[in-house]
Amino acid sequence: MLWKKILFYGFNLVLAVYLVLAIMAFNKPDEKIVCRDVHITIEEGIMPGFLTSDEVKQMLVTSHVSPIGQSMEFINLRNMEEALEKEDLIESAECYKTQDRTVNVSIRQRIPVIRVMNNRGDDYYVDTHGKPMPHTNYSCNLIVATGSISSQYAEKVLAPLTNIILNDPFWKNETVQLNVLNDGSIELIPRVGNHVAYLGQPTGIAKKLQRLRKFYRYGLNVAGWNHYKRISVEFDNQIICKRMKTTKK
C-alpha cells in the first residue's frame, strides 16, 4: 500500500507543477508573440508631401525604436511617437497595436505649400502653418514666391495667401508664381496668358481673386488672353488693365 501512496502523491505533485507552469505561460502570452510588420498610413494634404512609407520605417530603424521582431507586450508606442515627431518632415504621429502582430503608424506630415526664392538668395519651402521646411531631394509642383520676402512675411502673409489659392481648384491650377515687391504688394503670374495680375497689398485677397476670376471669364474670354500685359485688382470695385504694345507694320 505504501508504494501506491507514493505514486499517488508523486502524480499529484507532477500535475501541480504542470498546472503552475501552464498558468504562468498563459498569463504571459505576449512575451512569445513578436511584431511581424509595421503598417504606415500617411495623411494626404492639399498638396503632395515628401514622405514615403519606406522612409518612415527607416526613421524608426535609425532611431532604434523599430518594433519588428520585438515582443508585442514590451513595444513602447509612446517612444515611437516621440522619435517620429522629432523628424523635420513629420507634424504628428500616432501608433497602436493590432492582434495580427502588427504595429500601425498614422502620420500627419508637414505639407509644403510654396517655395520661397527671395532676392537675398534664400531658397526654402514653407508649410501650411508658415514654418520653413528643410530642403529635400524631392520636387513637387509648388507655387514659387520671389522678390522681397522675409521669413516673417513668408509666415504671416504668404502662407495664408497660398492656402487660399490652393483651396480653390481654379487658382490652384492657374497660379504659377507670386512676386513680392519692395512695398510688400503682390503680383500673381498666371499659367494661362502673358499678363501679370497685380493684387496690391495682401488684404482682402479672396475678394480680389474672385473679381479677377470674373474678369477672366467675362473679359479675357472675349478680348483675348494675350490682349493685356498687366491687370490690377488692387482697388475695390474696379479693374485697371494695361494693353500689350502692338507692333506697327
Side-chain angles (χ1 to χ4, degrees), residues 26-247:
F26 180 78
N27 287 334
K28 297 184 179 181
D30 284 344
E31 288 187 359
K32 296 182 179 179
I33 299 177
V34 298
C35 177
R36 65 179 182 182
D37 193 18
V38 177
H39 182 258
I40 309 294
T41 301
I42 301 176
E43 182 179 315
E44 295 183 359
I46 56 177
M47 290 295 291
F50 293 138
L51 284 175
T52 66
S53 296
D54 288 340
E55 288 171 326
V56 176
K57 290 180 180 180
Q58 185 57 47
M59 290 174 182
L60 293 172
V61 172
T62 303
S63 300
H64 306 290
V65 291
S66 175
I68 299 291
Q70 303 298 318
S71 168
M72 292 293 289
E73 181 183 7
F74 297 115
I75 292 172
N76 191 319
L77 298 179
R78 187 56 197 155
N79 284 350
M80 292 175 59
E81 292 170 350
E82 290 177 351
L84 290 172
E85 288 172 356
K86 290 178 181 178
E87 299 289 339
D88 288 332
L89 298 179
I90 294 178
E91 183 175 328
S92 64
E94 182 178 353
C95 304
Y96 60 95
K97 305 173 187 176
T98 54
Q99 293 182 345
D100 60 351
R101 293 188 290 171
T102 299
V103 172
N104 292 270
V105 181
S106 180
I107 295 292
R108 176 179 293 175
Q109 61 181 324
R110 295 177 62 195
I111 299 297
V113 293
I114 193 166
R115 182 177 182 178
V116 175
M117 302 174 69
N118 64 25
N119 53 13
R120 295 195 299 271
D122 298 329
D123 184 355
Y124 58 94
Y125 298 105
V126 172
D127 68 11
T128 51
H129 304 295
K131 302 301 181 182
M133 295 181 62
H135 251 296
T136 72
N137 294 324
Y138 304 95
S139 62
C140 53
N141 189 24
L142 292 179
I143 297 171
V144 176
T146 57
S148 183
I149 304 170
S150 65
S151 58
Q152 184 177 11
Y153 189 95
E155 177 180 357
K156 302 298 183 182
V157 178
L158 281 184
L161 188 156
T162 307
N163 285 327
I164 292 173
I165 290 174
L166 295 180
N167 280 290
D168 184 313
F170 176 82
W171 287 113
K172 180 179 179 179
N173 182 65
E174 177 67 3
T175 307
V176 173
Q177 180 181 343
L178 298 173
N179 185 53
V180 181
L181 305 181
N182 290 334
D183 63 354
S185 61
I186 297 174
E187 297 175 329
L188 183 151
I189 312 300
R191 189 177 305 278
V192 179
N194 294 326
H195 62 276
V196 172
Y198 182 63
L199 304 180
Q201 294 298 320
T203 57
I205 292 296
K207 290 183 177 180
K208 291 176 180 179
L209 291 176
Q210 184 180 27
R211 192 160 73 251
L212 181 59
R213 183 175 179 179
K214 287 182 178 179
F215 181 73
Y216 281 0
R217 181 177 180 182
Y218 299 110
L220 295 189
N221 281 340
V222 175
W225 282 79
N226 296 322
H227 192 66
Y228 302 106
K229 70 176 184 179
R230 185 177 178 83
I231 301 171
S232 173
V233 291
E234 177 183 11
F235 303 110
D236 291 341
N237 302 318
Q238 61 177 296
I239 297 176
I240 302 172
C241 301
K242 189 172 183 179
R243 291 183 179 180
M244 288 282 190
K245 290 183 179 181
T246 56
T247 304

